[in-house]
Amino acid sequence: MIDLFSLVITIFFFAHITACVWYYVGEKSDKLLDKSWLKKYEIENESIMMKYNYSIYWATTTIVTVGYGDLTP
């Protein structure tokens, strides 16, 4: 049980760090290149919590799954 709890905490920790980096990339690319994933999903004017929710979803999906299902053989 302790190993499972440790695994879940580790996944959430790395998902949080990855989400923060992903959000930072979105903010910087919006200012430097005038395009980013924030504009693509039209959330550049949303609250910081909404942006974090999108980021944490992306990070968690990237960490715990094999793929997004958008590419098929």
Side-chain angles (χ1 to χ4, degrees), residues 15-25 52 55-56 59:
H16 169 74
I17 298 298
T18 307
C20 290
V21 169
W22 185 242
Y23 172 72
Y24 179 76
V25 166
Y52 179 76
S55 298
I56 198 77

Side-chain angles (χ1 to χ4, degrees), residues 13-69:
F13 173 74
F14 283 112
H16 169 74
I17 298 298
T18 307
C20 290
V21 169
W22 185 242
Y23 172 72
Y24 179 76
V25 166
E27 285 291 321
K28 287 299 180 181
S29 63
D30 187 30
K31 290 181 175 111
L32 295 174
L33 304 173
D34 199 31
K35 65 179 185 176
S36 72
W37 66 270
L38 296 169
K39 283 191 178 182
K40 179 180 178 183
Y41 293 107
E42 299 175 354
I43 60 168
E44 66 269 7
N45 296 324
E46 294 289 335
S47 68
I48 187 82
M49 197 63 193
M50 182 64 78
K51 293 175 186 177
Y52 179 76
N53 285 339
Y54 272 79
S55 298
I56 198 77
Y57 173 78
W58 176 85
T60 305
T61 303
T62 301
I63 290 172
V64 299
T65 62
V66 175
Y68 298 103

Side-chain angles (χ1 to χ4, degrees), residues 1-10:
M1 207 56 187
I2 292 175
D3 288 338
L4 179 62
F5 182 72
S6 175
L7 176 65
V8 169
I9 293 299
T10 303

